[in-house]
Amino acid sequence: MFLIPTVLRRSPIHGTGVFAAADVPAGTRVWEFTSGIDWEMTADQLEAFPEPFRGWLSDLVYQTDDGMYVLCGDAGRYMNHSFEPNCDDREDGTWANRDITAGEELTCDYRSFDLRSRLDGLEEWRAQRAS
């Protein structure tokens, strides 16, 4: 759950993004997993949902190293990926890794917490974009 004020807007990165609604100093914890708001599910639980809901849900969850899927119960599900993110994801939550100004999109590197992103070729995608 976000610990700072945020707003959803159209993102120049992709679709919808999460934007800081106030200045965020470097080192501020911006998000943490909150049981009862954020939801963990197994692969079997995810697969049990009917289409098209399952497809929509699959785009919003991330997969932990132990194979669990997590759906952020708040706007966290709309954070976009960046290879130069302004937020740092660690086991104890998501932190601002530099000062973030009000109105700036919050970004994270999906590879730091999402198994699928580490395995699906983001590195190759970055190399193609650079050339």
Side-chain angles (χ1 to χ4, degrees), residues 41-114:
M41 66 189 101
T42 65
D44 288 342
Q45 289 171 316
L46 182 62
E47 288 299 315
F49 288 106
E51 286 296 350
F53 182 75
R54 181 178 54 234
W56 173 82
L57 190 60
S58 293
D59 287 341
L60 296 176
V61 297
Y62 65 88
Q63 187 178 19
T64 63
D65 288 342
D66 63 1
M68 295 295 289
Y69 290 89
V70 176
L71 175 66
C72 297
D74 64 357
R77 69 181 97 171
Y78 295 106
M79 278 187 78
N80 283 316
H81 169 78
S82 174
F83 288 107
E84 297 176 6
N86 54 20
C87 294
D88 181 28
D89 291 281
R90 305 187 299 236
E91 284 186 28
D92 61 347
T94 303
W95 300 78
N97 63 21
R98 62 169 176 75
D99 290 339
I100 300 170
T101 58
E104 186 175 349
E105 184 168 3
L106 301 174
T107 58
C108 55
D109 185 339
Y110 289 171
R111 298 167 301 166
S112 66
F113 60 89
D114 180 32

